[in-house]
Amino acid sequence: MLRVNGMTVSERKKKILAAVVDEYIRTAEPVGSRFIAEKAGLGCSSATIRNELAELVNMGYLEQPHTSAGRVPTPAGYRMYVNELMEKQKLSLEETEEINSRLNVKLRQLDETISDVSRLASQITDYPALALTTRAPALIKRFDIIYVDANTFIIVVMLSDSTVKNKLVHLPVSVTEQMMKKLSVLFNANFVGISEEQITPLLISSTERAADDTMGITSVIASFAIEVLSEAFRPTAFVAGENRLLNQPEYRDPDKAHRLMSYLSGGNHILPDEELASLADNGVQVLIGPENVAEELKDSSVVIATYDAGDNTKGLIGVVGPTRMDYSAVAAKLSALAAGLSRRLGTGDAPPEGMHNKLIIGRRKPPKKDE
């Protein structure tokens, strides 16, 4: 049995908590003791159930919005539910075939774009969805510094993933074509194949001296190189279905809905960049309410699945919704979608059956069980 604040979380309390969460997910209305007595099949009196509900409130798993109302789960209650009480759903054969069929159509018609993956995830879950990929950091493979006229030149940078970036630079001073050629040689000798962090002030100043550059042109080129390397590492997120939030009772408040929709539409990630760089393999991660880092997500929950996109590339599919979301159904659907994407985009087969149903719990650790 669990003990929280000196109180025991008995099996009966767990059954009551599970019944409250299941009914609240279904109705979005506070759940009363009468419903528990009629539907939970616990074989105990209404008075006993009311006492158990009161203890679950004191333990922080439930709360009572109004004195005359029933109970609703807290983030801690949802966490207990996801960790221990939720029955993991398995999709029916028809549901799995539908996801795979729609996935095949999307990839064939729309050239396997990640933006279409986010739209598909939103359609099958009925929540706003986000999809992105994270690649191994690209390095600069080649520089071309092209002289245009005395006050203009173009920086062309080719990355190791064959991406090409360029920038037109206008100068308030005059430069020679010979200077551009010298800088091109120096940058190809010293700035190729290194990371953003290795482009140091010392390297820039030594290159300036070697080029006899007294006008700061070296710094301009180096700054562009740093910018290109930074963008090459940062994943681009594609969000779809933000307006689906309006279907949920929790977002009937226009201000609340607008804040979250604006956050999602603004290209913000649902995980910090440092966590995106090390996505967990073959699992579904659930972040409930306050477990999310972004303030805009503190009243919402996020469910994330990862997939293998091949070429040292990992992908993420996530949905955002109320803490009342049906975690089991959403996790099962994202798992199926991630497995399908891994088969189609990755270098090998999808993970074995059941692998994607593993739940990677959020930042808060579940309460310890008594020895």
Side-chain angles (χ1 to χ4, degrees):
M1 286 186 182
L2 287 175
R3 292 185 65 83
V4 179
N5 297 328
M7 304 177 73
T8 300
V9 187
S10 64
E11 290 304 312
R12 184 164 63 193
K13 284 187 177 68
K14 290 180 181 180
K15 289 180 180 178
I16 291 173
L17 176 60
V20 171
V21 174
D22 286 336
E23 181 65 5
Y24 188 63
I25 286 172
R26 189 180 70 84
T27 66
E29 296 290 340
V31 182
S33 57
R34 180 179 299 177
F35 170 84
I36 303 297
E38 292 176 354
K39 302 294 184 181
L42 296 174
C44 55
S45 67
S46 296
T48 299
I49 290 174
R50 285 195 295 272
N51 289 336
E52 296 280 42
L53 288 169
E55 288 192 16
L56 285 167
V57 170
N58 291 335
M59 298 167 82
Y61 292 120
L62 298 176
E63 60 185 356
Q64 194 169 15
H66 309 287
T67 54
S68 60
R71 273 72 170 185
V72 301
T74 64
Y78 284 119
R79 174 51 64 203
M80 166 77 82
Y81 178 81
V82 169
N83 284 10
E84 298 193 27
L85 310 178
M86 179 177 76
E87 292 185 7
K88 293 179 181 178
Q89 276 193 30
K90 287 191 175 181
L91 298 184
S92 67
L93 180 61
E94 291 78 11
E95 288 175 312
T96 302
E97 287 179 347
E98 181 185 2
I99 288 174
N100 286 329
S101 174
R102 294 172 71 177
L103 187 58
N104 281 334
V105 170
K106 289 290 182 185
L107 294 180
R108 184 172 61 251
Q109 290 181 346
L110 300 172
D111 198 25
E112 305 182 0
T113 61
I114 301 304
S115 61
D116 296 311
V117 172
S118 66
R119 280 196 288 272
L120 180 54
S122 180
Q123 289 166 7
I124 66 174
T125 62
D126 202 28
Y127 289 117
L130 172 148
L132 57 83
T133 57
T134 58
R135 294 184 178 275
L139 300 176
I140 294 175
K141 184 178 179 181
R142 176 180 167 184
F143 284 89
D144 284 306
I145 316 298
I146 302 171
Y147 177 85
V148 177
D149 59 39
N151 301 105
T152 313
F153 68 95
I154 300 171
I155 311 169
V156 181
V157 172
M158 178 179 286
L159 295 171
S160 53
D161 62 1
S162 298
T163 302
V164 176
K165 302 287 185 179
N166 61 76
K167 181 177 183 178
L168 180 66
V169 180
H170 297 286
L171 296 171
V173 294
S174 297
V175 294
T176 64
E177 186 172 4
Q178 183 179 1
M179 168 69 81
M180 295 297 99
K181 289 180 178 179
K182 183 184 291 187
L183 283 169
S184 187
V185 170
L186 288 169
F187 270 84
N188 278 298
N190 300 314
F191 287 76
V192 165
I194 63 175
S195 66
E196 175 187 350
E197 292 74 20
Q198 291 173 296
I199 303 179
T200 61
L202 179 61
L203 177 60
I204 295 170
S205 62
S206 64
T207 304
E208 282 179 335
R209 289 193 298 272
D212 196 20
D213 171 21
T214 59
M215 298 174 286
I217 299 172
T218 302
S219 295
V220 171
I221 301 171
S223 295
F224 181 63
I226 292 171
E227 179 184 330
V228 167
L229 289 171
S230 177
E231 289 180 357
F233 178 75
R234 188 182 304 119
T236 300
F238 297 91
V239 181
E242 300 96 316
N243 60 344
R244 293 178 188 269
L245 286 173
L246 302 177
N247 298 331
Q248 304 297 328
E250 289 85 349
Y251 301 101
R252 286 175 183 156
D253 178 349
D255 290 337
K256 182 177 180 181
H258 177 71
R259 281 195 300 272
L260 183 52
M261 290 170 70
S262 296
Y263 177 78
L264 295 174
S265 300
N268 297 286
H269 298 160
I270 52 181
L271 287 177
D273 286 348
E274 60 270 18
E275 293 191 28
L276 291 174
S278 56
L279 292 175
D281 290 332
N282 306 330
V284 175
Q285 185 171 4
V286 179
L287 298 174
I288 299 170
E291 294 172 357
N292 289 288
V293 172
E295 191 63 34
E296 292 84 354
L297 297 174
K298 295 293 187 182
D299 293 327
S300 304
S301 284
V302 175
V303 182
I304 299 164
T306 57
Y307 62 90
D308 178 10
D311 297 326
N312 295 317
T313 301
K314 293 293 181 183
L316 173 152
I317 317 163
V319 301
V320 179
T323 53
R324 183 184 51 84
M325 77 163 65
D326 188 341
Y327 296 101
S328 184
V330 170
K333 290 175 180 179
L334 289 189
S335 292
L337 181 55
L341 282 168
S342 292
R343 280 194 297 271
R344 288 158 178 79
L345 302 178
T347 54
D349 294 332
E353 179 69 25
M355 180 71 79
H356 272 285
N357 285 329
K358 179 179 65 177
L359 282 177
I360 303 170
I361 304 306
R363 294 174 181 79
R364 294 187 176 183
K365 296 180 181 178
K368 292 182 180 179
K369 293 185 178 181
D370 284 348
E371 298 293 330

